Amino acid sequence: MAEVTHWADIVADEVSNKHEKNVVATGITPSGHIHIGNMREVVTADAVYKSLNDKMHETTLIYLADNFDPLRKVYPFLPEHYSKYVGNPISEIPCPCGECSNYAEHFVKPFLVSMEKLGIEPKVYRADELYKSGYYTEAIKDALVNKDNIAKILTETSGREPKDEWSPFNAICRACGKMTSTKVISFDVDKETVDYICECGFSGSVSMQGGGKLNWRVDWPARWKILGVTVEPFGKDHASRGGSYDTGKRIAKEIFNYEPPYPIVYEWIMLANKGAMSSSTGIVVSIDDMLKVVPPEVLRYLIIKTKPEKHINFDPSIPLLTLIDEYEKLKTMEIEKISTYNKRLLDLSKATGICHTNIPFKHMVTIYQVAHGDSEKILEILERVGYETGNRRCIQELINNVQNWLEMYAPPYAKFSVKETLPAKASNLNKVQRAFLCSLAKIISTNEELSGEQYHNLVYQAKEKGSVVYKDIVQILNIYEDELAINPKDLFKAIYIATLGTDSGPKAGWFLSSLDRNFLISRFTEAAGDMCNEG
Ligand SMILES: [Zn+2]
Ligand SMILES: [Zn+2]
């Protein structure tokens, strides 16, 4: 198959041909928990930013928190008394927990932490600060002076004609603090003020510098020019015909005399899951919840490997493990065997400052359960089986991911617990199974620490006549070689029954190597019963 260029490189090539330097922008309104769809926006932007950097192109990545937008309604997670703040800018009302400087910060703060975890380091702007420090003032004047032209563009492009009293600028009432109930009646370009009347009965004048804001369809193109934006990913809701990108493009060119940024339209990430959180209801996961289970580089990988215009179905149960496996396999592949495309994909998925270990997630799922979640024990096992344990912080992060996955999303069959005493079910083991466990106990006691792979091979090769285990079983049962037929499935079953009391369990090699060898010797000997006594 011909090598394909990664989508982020295609975008980067195109914009670097067009602009001396680039600004990749993302913008999110922090009016509630910032969800995983928003994470797609910042990871998408970061991929393009990285690609431009790799091409030695001068680039800035920015994140603009739209914290000067009004509170739209009393969201279900808010106490009823927030009804009095509906219509007020979210930078100007109290936060729900009482500990953040304002409502918007309550949601911006954890989002910035999530970005850091994902290795994304944008220059952060807050809309209220930009307005209050005058960044927008020239754009506000242009918009007010060109009000009729803007209204014409909106009508022609979106098909909706603004009302007569419409203004591109919303004043914040000095009496009630709302920006949704005011009407602009006049403005003074020299004094940089806007006069308004408010539904609350108050009328007055505000400064263009922080006394209000441009409404969204005008604000967006204005900021492109103010911040020099050349590339911007945005959700498909903005990309519809007559939507805010369509109107923004014309307003940018015709009013602000600015070339609109290269658009990257991205699709949503849907949560495929059971019960109330079903894909049919379109419920999205918060980034916090997602990063509780998914290692950050895997989340980057998921987003970066998928073309932005394709939607991502995210299933945090077993399919998540499959995704993690896919990533880990790629990461540990010999460099000559990886395709150029996948190499690039890996490059873009990695980020500086991001945690990663060489411990496969699934193996940690096994070790975690063997150790009953005890971090010290987990480290002991990791050292014993030969993993690098220097980076405690990242190992702990992986432990937390695994713990959360087991608690939140793991199906019952992925969970197990090693029984402290021999499970009753072991009394049903047949002769071959007992002889096998006896042989296994012997092999473990006469060897140094066995690796997961060695365990796996021991069981798999047991059915072959020449193997140590086969010979052992024949000898223990005191029969002729031809009389013995072994199905490896029965042997795996014997292992699980003796340790977990169940017919199935985790990958046997990893599982056995995670357990203490003295425990295995005594447990298997006990399960084998009489026939193992002389050993
Ligand atoms: Zn708060
Ligand atoms: Zn008012």
Side-chain angles (χ1 to χ4, degrees):
M1 210 176 79
E3 291 290 350
V4 194
T5 309
H6 191 271
W7 60 260
D9 292 328
I10 294 175
V11 175
D13 276 339
E14 212 160 304
V15 297
S16 60
N17 282 334
K18 236 165 121 185
H19 304 280
E20 275 290 296
K21 44 185 175 178
N22 276 284
V23 174
V24 185
T26 66
I28 288 153
T29 306
S31 57
H33 286 288
I34 295 175
H35 62 76
I36 190 64
N38 303 131
M39 194 41 84
R40 187 168 197 179
E41 174 158 327
V42 287
V43 173
T44 299
D46 193 52
V48 175
Y49 170 66
K50 277 195 90 175
S51 175
L52 282 162
N53 272 338
D54 290 349
K55 295 176 195 304
M56 309 294 280
H57 196 89
E58 196 184 336
T59 311
T60 317
L61 176 68
I62 63 173
Y63 160 60
L64 193 148
D66 274 298
N67 65 348
F68 215 33
D69 287 2
L71 183 70
R72 296 276 166 209
K73 59 177 183 181
V74 182
Y75 296 104
F77 54 83
L78 291 174
E80 197 36 54
H81 74 266
Y82 268 78
S83 58
K84 66 174 176 284
Y85 298 126
V86 172
N88 295 45
I90 53 176
S91 61
E92 314 298 312
I93 59 179
C95 105
C97 77
E99 278 168 28
C100 317
S101 50
N102 59 58
Y103 180 98
E105 279 315 292
H106 183 80
F107 300 105
V108 168
K109 279 193 301 186
F111 182 59
L112 294 180
V113 172
S114 297
M115 278 205 281
E116 205 185 312
K117 275 193 189 162
L118 285 159
I120 301 173
E121 295 164 331
K123 183 167 174 25
V124 178
Y125 291 100
R126 287 170 175 79
D128 72 320
E129 290 168 3
L130 291 178
Y131 274 99
K132 288 168 189 170
S133 55
Y135 275 77
Y136 270 96
T137 305
E138 286 312 308
I140 291 169
K141 288 181 198 170
D142 285 344
L144 285 167
V145 168
N146 289 291
K147 178 195 154 190
D148 293 339
N149 292 332
I150 296 175
K152 197 168 153 252
I153 292 172
L154 292 178
T155 310
E156 286 171 5
T157 314
S158 73
R160 270 179 299 171
E161 195 173 347
K163 290 180 190 150
D164 279 347
E165 71 261 29
W166 178 84
S167 167
F169 182 83
N170 297 320
I172 299 167
C173 176
R174 295 163 70 144
C176 67
K178 297 195 190 304
M179 63 198 311
T180 47
S181 53
T182 55
K183 203 166 96 180
V184 170
I185 43 176
S186 64
F187 59 90
D188 188 322
V189 168
D190 297 324
K191 286 197 204 137
E192 301 183 344
T193 54
V194 176
D195 298 327
Y196 71 94
I197 50 170
C198 179
E199 283 166 17
C200 75
F202 195 85
S203 63
S205 172
V206 289
S207 164
M208 289 181 190
Q209 204 167 315
K213 80 177 281 285
L214 294 170
N215 60 44
W216 166 245
R217 286 198 183 232
V218 185
D219 179 303
W220 200 20
R223 92 170 50 151
W224 292 339
K225 182 177 185 176
I226 293 165
L227 301 172
V229 178
T230 58
V231 187
E232 184 161 353
F234 48 87
K236 60 171 182 174
D237 51 338
H238 295 308
S240 57
R241 241 185 123 161
S244 49
Y245 184 70
D246 269 2
T247 53
K249 259 193 310 197
R250 281 193 62 187
I251 295 170
K253 283 187 205 161
E254 296 169 35
I255 308 296
F256 298 126
N257 194 21
Y258 186 78
E259 190 58 35
Y262 183 100
I264 307 172
V265 180
Y266 62 86
E267 260 285 352
W268 307 134
I269 299 181
M270 310 296 289
L271 178 68
N273 205 354
K274 56 207 166 175
M277 298 209 321
S278 83
S279 59
S280 61
T281 59
I283 285 177
V284 282
V285 214
S286 85
I287 292 163
D288 272 0
D289 274 350
M290 190 108 167
L291 282 174
K292 271 182 198 157
V293 288
V294 192
E297 53 184 342
V298 175
L299 185 51
R300 286 183 67 99
Y301 171 73
L302 171 67
I303 294 172
I304 290 172
K305 82 166 192 157
T306 316
K307 282 190 181 149
E309 66 268 25
K310 292 208 164 160
H311 84 261
I312 294 175
N313 241 329
F314 179 72
D315 185 335
S317 64
I318 291 295
L320 172 63
L321 294 196
T322 312
L323 173 74
I324 294 174
D325 272 355
E326 179 187 310
Y327 179 68
E328 285 169 349
K329 210 172 130 198
L330 202 58
K331 222 174 55 170
T332 50
M333 229 188 233
E334 283 169 55
I335 200 89
E336 310 84 57
K337 290 189 181 153
I338 312 182
S339 68
T340 315
Y341 179 83
N342 279 339
K343 235 180 261 168
R344 189 66 189 134
L345 180 54
L346 270 181
D347 265 359
L348 293 167
S349 303
K350 281 180 195 149
T352 42
I354 208 169
C355 255
H356 63 100
T357 71
N358 64 345
I359 308 160
F361 192 89
K362 265 191 192 165
H363 197 177
M364 184 58 97
V365 169
T366 298
I367 293 173
Y368 181 91
Q369 296 187 86
V370 165
H372 299 285
D374 180 326
S375 293
E376 284 307 308
K377 263 196 187 146
I378 292 173
L379 282 171
E380 244 176 71
I381 296 173
L382 289 174
E383 269 161 26
R384 181 151 50 76
V385 299
Y387 286 117
E388 181 60 54
T389 54
N391 195 342
R392 294 288 160 96
R393 184 177 69 84
C394 289
I395 290 177
Q396 191 55 49
E397 207 171 274
L398 179 64
I399 293 174
N400 295 344
N401 284 161
V402 164
Q403 177 182 7
N404 290 323
W405 183 76
L406 284 164
E407 282 168 11
M408 296 162 79
Y409 303 113
Y413 66 83
K415 298 183 192 179
F416 66 83
S417 87
V418 178
K419 298 290 175 280
E420 279 178 27
T421 54
L422 182 68
K425 225 180 163 181
S427 60
N428 300 329
L429 291 170
N430 65 32
K431 278 186 172 175
V432 174
Q433 287 173 316
R434 284 169 198 272
F436 163 68
L437 291 178
C438 180
S439 164
L440 202 50
K442 224 170 66 187
I443 292 169
I444 296 169
S445 65
T446 51
N447 275 284
E448 293 284 305
E449 221 48 83
L450 293 165
S451 71
E453 204 184 340
Q454 285 170 317
Y455 273 117
H456 178 84
N457 291 338
L458 263 180
V459 187
Y460 253 94
Q461 288 157 8
K463 65 174 192 299
E464 284 154 27
K465 278 188 182 171
S467 72
V468 184
V469 180
Y470 192 93
K471 282 184 188 159
D472 259 2
I473 295 176
V474 166
Q475 204 197 355
I476 294 166
L477 294 177
N478 197 16
I479 52 173
Y480 292 107
E481 282 208 351
D482 292 340
E483 291 176 77
L484 182 63
I486 289 179
N487 181 352
K489 258 193 189 163
D490 291 335
L491 306 187
F492 283 113
K493 209 166 147 182
I495 291 170
Y496 298 129
I497 287 177
T499 50
L500 310 173
T502 53
D503 289 349
S504 59
K507 225 170 150 184
W510 275 348
F511 174 57
L512 291 174
S513 70
S514 310
L515 286 160
D516 177 70
R517 59 195 285 273
N518 290 322
F519 165 80
L520 289 176
I521 295 165
S522 73
R523 177 58 59 86
F524 290 158
T525 308
E526 190 188 351
D530 292 347
M531 71 174 61
C532 213
N533 284 346
E534 67 229 68

